[in-house]
Amino acid sequence: MTYPFQSQEYRSLFKEHFITDPKSCVQFENIEYELLPDKRAVLVGMKPVLGGQEVTDFGIETINNIESIHKALKEKYAIQTVQYDYIREDSPAFQTLQSTAQSPGTQQEVSPSISLPSSWEEYLESLERTDRKELKRKFKRLETVPHLFHYPETQAVESEFADFVKLHKLSDFAKEKFMAGPMELFFKEVLTLSIPGWTQKIATLKINDISVASVFFFENEDSLLLYNSGYNPEQKYYSVGLLLIAQLIHYSINNKKKVFDFLRGNERYKYDLGGKDVKLYKFVFFL
């Protein structure tokens, strides 16, 4: 699969927002590197921004001619170290980097995902008994109040994005700090970005016609990627954040998706909903 995070469109947007010197970026074939002052090259999108925030979930999926690329980085730009972050263990790039690196890759993170079955009932049966029982209990509780799940057919409108930002900031202090003005603008432009094969959308859960949970996701024909989310802590009793994501899994099954990917992070709810880890690795080459 070709994920959106190393697409030309995403990289261009990242550079526009977070890289001030265009000359610090160089491209070989379809791989783009940012050249850092410490003589290190990283994939565009992987440098932490705005005080240490990371916004790009995966690195490259494939790489060819790695020896010639590294030779050019060393000879033309005096690069001493090349770093590849968040490489999926199921990608061709992992196999290439693992076989050519001076030392084995180190695990950085995980990206839990679900291989989706053909029906919601089959999905529920795949959960651990306690998780299945708890999920049904929470849905039953939500049924006691007027509620609505909204899944857009097209990219989100401005009001849906405003609700997402508001609920994201409400979720906790760290998220409020993360979604500062420059980051909010970046997310807004990611939402309307035209990435071949992908559409960005926002799903919402409303209680009594008021938005209480929101999820920003990428969708293609086969997969749904959960990019970010938020909810109103005052509605925690109804497990609104978890149940909106569970309904997105239901939506994915109904729309014949093959994979529901929670993206980076090992938060407990991902495993409660049946996520299984895909490991993400870092490779460092000393030139």
Side-chain angles (χ1 to χ4, degrees):
M1 182 194 301
T2 300
Y3 292 92
F5 305 108
Q6 286 297 322
S7 67
Q8 183 67 54
E9 294 78 10
Y10 178 90
R11 296 195 317 255
S12 295
L13 186 65
F14 184 93
K15 288 189 294 182
E16 179 185 330
H17 281 264
F18 302 124
I19 297 178
T20 54
D21 180 9
K23 294 181 180 178
S24 67
C25 297
V26 297
Q27 184 168 336
F28 298 90
E29 299 180 22
N30 195 38
I31 299 175
E32 200 164 8
Y33 300 85
E34 182 178 2
L35 311 181
L36 303 180
D38 60 0
K39 303 296 182 182
R40 183 165 50 101
V42 299
L43 297 171
V44 164
M46 290 302 172
K47 181 184 69 176
V49 298
L50 302 178
Q53 309 292 354
E54 294 183 318
V55 296
T56 305
D57 281 76
F58 301 148
I60 52 172
E61 289 117 52
T62 59
I63 181 169
N64 300 309
N65 305 317
I66 187 170
E67 292 86 358
S68 61
I69 291 174
H70 288 179
K71 182 180 179 181
L73 285 169
K74 181 179 181 179
E75 293 180 354
K76 293 182 180 180
Y77 305 104
I79 291 299
Q80 298 174 358
T81 307
V82 186
Q83 183 171 316
Y84 297 89
D85 293 290
Y86 302 121
I87 304 298
R88 291 176 61 96
E89 65 176 331
D90 58 359
S91 69
F94 176 83
Q95 300 299 328
T96 302
L97 295 168
Q98 186 84 304
S99 64
T100 55
Q102 298 103 322
S103 58
T106 55
Q107 186 182 335
Q108 274 182 299
E109 186 62 279
V110 293
S111 179
S113 65
I114 304 170
S115 295
L116 295 171
S118 58
S119 71
W120 175 248
E121 292 71 24
E122 201 177 336
Y123 162 72
L124 290 175
E125 285 302 313
S126 73
L127 298 177
E128 296 289 337
R129 181 177 178 275
T130 53
D131 293 334
R132 179 170 62 250
K133 185 177 180 180
E134 186 67 9
L135 186 59
K136 289 181 176 180
R137 185 185 68 80
K138 288 174 178 175
F139 269 118
K140 190 173 181 179
R141 177 183 289 172
L142 183 62
E143 290 295 332
T144 64
V145 291
H147 67 279
L148 173 69
F149 292 104
H150 173 64
Y151 318 102
E153 294 184 6
T154 57
Q155 288 175 320
V157 299
E158 195 157 326
S159 61
E160 290 169 337
F161 180 73
D163 282 345
F164 163 76
V165 170
K166 177 182 177 181
L167 291 165
H168 183 88
K169 290 180 176 180
L170 276 175
S171 299
D172 62 43
F173 176 74
K175 286 192 171 186
E176 181 180 9
K177 184 178 178 182
F178 172 84
M179 195 58 74
M183 190 64 76
E184 179 179 338
L185 181 58
F186 174 72
F187 267 73
K188 186 175 184 178
E189 295 194 19
V190 169
L191 187 63
T192 58
L193 201 59
S194 180
I195 303 174
W198 292 93
T199 306
Q200 300 79 258
K201 299 179 179 179
I202 290 177
T204 307
L205 168 59
K206 295 186 177 184
I207 291 180
N208 292 318
D209 207 32
I210 297 173
S211 297
V212 295
S214 183
V215 171
F216 185 135
F217 63 96
F218 292 89
E219 181 180 15
N220 72 2
E221 185 176 346
D222 295 323
S223 304
L224 190 147
L225 316 180
L226 197 162
Y227 191 41
N228 225 310
S229 62
Y231 74 98
N232 186 340
E234 292 182 1
Q235 300 293 339
K236 191 174 182 179
Y237 175 76
Y238 294 107
S239 305
V240 291
L242 178 81
L243 292 184
L244 175 56
I245 294 170
Q247 277 295 114
L248 267 183
I249 295 171
H250 197 171
Y251 162 92
S252 299
I253 292 170
N254 286 347
N255 285 274
K256 311 301 182 185
K257 309 293 184 193
K258 296 176 182 177
V259 176
F260 187 97
D261 199 320
F262 293 97
L263 298 185
R264 269 178 30 211
N266 62 350
E267 293 88 346
R268 181 68 251 168
Y269 77 87
K270 298 179 179 181
Y271 304 102
D272 293 341
L273 291 172
K276 306 296 182 186
D277 282 342
V278 172
K279 296 175 183 176
L280 307 178
Y281 285 82
K282 175 174 74 174
F283 292 89
V284 179
F285 289 78
F286 300 98
L287 308 185

